[in-house]
Amino acid sequence: MRIRKAIIPIAGKGTRFLPATKEIAKEIIPIINVPMIHYIVQEACEAGIEQVIFVTASGKFAVEDYFDRNQELEAFLERNNKMKELELIRSIGSMVNVTSVRQKEQLGLGHAVLCAKSMIGHEAFAVLLGDDIVINKKPAIQQLMDVSLSQGGASVIGVMEVPRSETNKYGIVRGDIINEKTLKMTGMVEKPKPEDAPTNLATPGRYILTPEIFDILENIPRGAGNEYQLTDAINVLCQNRNVFAYQFEGERYDTGNVHGYLDATIDFALKDPQTRDMFIASLKKRLTKNGITL
Ligand code: UTP
């Protein structure tokens, strides 16, 4: 019953982050000095995930390398008595057991998840999107695992409230209210107009899924954007199995777009005692220098 494996798809083209993503994976771009993907893998590890499966594409090797040991760097840090840095680098290298699978053609998130089928076997698993950071004391994916456990191992989709006017940017869930935070899902709608949206609960990239999803993914047609959509497969899953939507707690940053990335950078700089004062001072100075008064 315990969820041991997590799929993290990182094979997307990252067009909203060009030109940086011309040569490097979006997920390796740092927020200050920590790559985005570090936060995603950390969340999975803190929830007890034992194996992370990256769905990758060509040119994404830096993400796998980041979680590997770098003996040359370790030796250099040791020789130069940089023990704090050495400890940090070693802890990243031994954070979690990482494997990867290639998505040879970028045919959509549903297809990316399907690419990891052989690595999962017949057990429930987590999916965390590589460009959605959620910060909370109790990891968001752990919150979904707990709901899954309490519902007999069912699939659970993480949701968050969005303004009605923005439903057309997200997958929106439909279902029957079980309690303040949980719905029993009857389906999902991709990017509905505000007037057509069944709820204002969007799916920002945290899922617990049962393995039946793979059979569904193998049989669904291409959907929105001519891609194989995970949303479409979840819709089918809802017809055959119990699927729940859970409004998780946490601050979510969509770091796949520049606005969300800036929000994360500002918040992280303000929250870290090592950067907070310096950041505020710099910001004040820069605002004045650029003639901006708030
Ligand atoms: P996005 O919709 O953010 O697409 O994918 P993207 O390619 O990363 O970015 P844009 O929209 O072009 O800027 C959501 C997640 O699904 C993964 C992405 O890597 C991202 O983590 N994905 C998407 C795949 O792994 N394969 C795909 O074919 C599509």
Side-chain angles (χ1 to χ4, degrees):
M1 286 290 276
R2 211 163 65 75
I3 311 282
R4 303 182 305 128
K5 298 180 184 176
I7 300 175
I8 305 185
I10 56 165
K13 296 260 181 236
T15 54
R16 287 168 295 167
F17 246 101
L18 283 168
T21 44
K22 178 169 175 271
E23 296 301 334
I24 58 164
K26 173 172 60 181
E27 296 77 8
I28 209 72
I29 295 173
I31 295 181
I32 308 178
N33 58 341
V34 178
M36 295 180 196
I37 193 68
H38 183 110
Y39 293 99
I40 318 289
V41 170
Q42 185 168 296
E43 177 186 338
C45 291
E46 284 173 2
I49 291 291
E50 293 164 10
Q51 188 180 2
V52 163
I53 301 148
F54 288 123
V55 181
T56 69
S58 61
K60 302 263 177 174
F61 53 86
V63 174
E64 290 152 275
D65 284 356
Y66 180 79
F67 293 100
D68 201 352
R69 293 278 302 270
N70 182 337
Q71 307 231 6
E72 206 185 311
L73 177 60
E74 287 179 23
F76 172 84
L77 294 171
E78 197 159 17
R79 270 198 315 277
N80 290 280
N81 206 24
K82 294 189 177 286
M83 300 323 267
K84 214 171 109 216
E85 290 82 354
L86 177 63
E87 200 184 314
L88 173 68
I89 292 307
R90 278 198 177 137
S91 70
I92 296 168
S94 55
M95 211 166 163
V96 71
N97 179 12
V98 164
T99 48
S100 66
V101 59
R102 283 286 180 123
Q103 185 189 26
K104 293 185 180 162
E105 241 186 308
Q106 278 55 71
L107 299 178
L109 177 59
H111 180 257
V113 170
L114 182 58
C115 288
K117 177 183 174 180
S118 64
M119 306 280 210
I120 296 290
H122 203 78
E123 57 184 292
F125 59 96
V127 177
L128 296 90
L129 295 196
D131 55 7
D132 267 307
I133 297 177
V134 184
I135 302 294
N136 198 58
K137 197 155 178 262
K138 180 172 178 178
I141 201 72
Q142 170 92 64
Q143 298 174 45
L144 304 192
M145 286 176 182
D146 289 354
V147 176
S148 173
L149 202 62
S150 72
Q151 297 292 347
S155 295
V156 182
I157 316 300
V159 291
M160 62 174 197
E161 273 187 310
V162 295
R164 270 265 156 197
S165 56
E166 290 182 15
T167 56
N168 57 356
K169 294 187 190 157
Y170 299 93
I172 299 289
V173 301
R174 178 171 8 98
D176 305 316
I177 294 169
I178 295 206
N179 61 39
E180 208 193 335
K181 301 213 157 215
T182 320
L183 288 188
K184 181 158 182 296
M185 281 176 60
T186 51
M188 269 184 82
V189 200
E190 195 54 48
K191 303 186 174 65
K193 287 187 205 148
E195 59 273 26
D196 298 333
T199 63
N200 64 339
L201 297 172
T203 55
R206 293 293 183 277
Y207 311 81
I208 302 294
L209 295 170
T210 50
E212 296 84 25
I213 197 82
F214 291 123
D215 296 335
I216 300 172
L217 284 167
E218 271 166 340
N219 289 298
I220 52 164
R222 291 183 191 231
N226 203 28
E227 293 187 338
Y228 293 99
Q229 297 288 352
L230 186 59
T231 302
D232 292 344
I234 292 171
N235 231 337
V236 177
L237 190 66
C238 289
Q239 314 314 315
N240 308 321
R241 306 271 163 172
N242 285 341
V243 180
F244 296 89
Y246 181 72
Q247 213 178 311
F248 60 80
E249 273 171 33
E251 185 80 44
R252 178 255 184 177
Y253 302 93
D254 178 3
T255 48
N257 73 64
V258 173
H259 190 173
Y261 174 79
L262 279 177
D263 280 347
T265 307
I266 292 166
D267 273 7
F268 290 15
L270 287 173
K271 278 176 189 157
D272 183 343
Q274 294 210 355
T275 50
R276 185 189 156 83
D277 292 346
M278 146 176 76
F279 177 67
I280 294 172
S282 280
L283 191 59
K284 279 187 186 156
K285 197 167 144 196
R286 298 283 132 200
L287 285 171
T288 312
K289 205 161 177 219
N290 287 284
I292 299 165
T293 38
L294 296 179

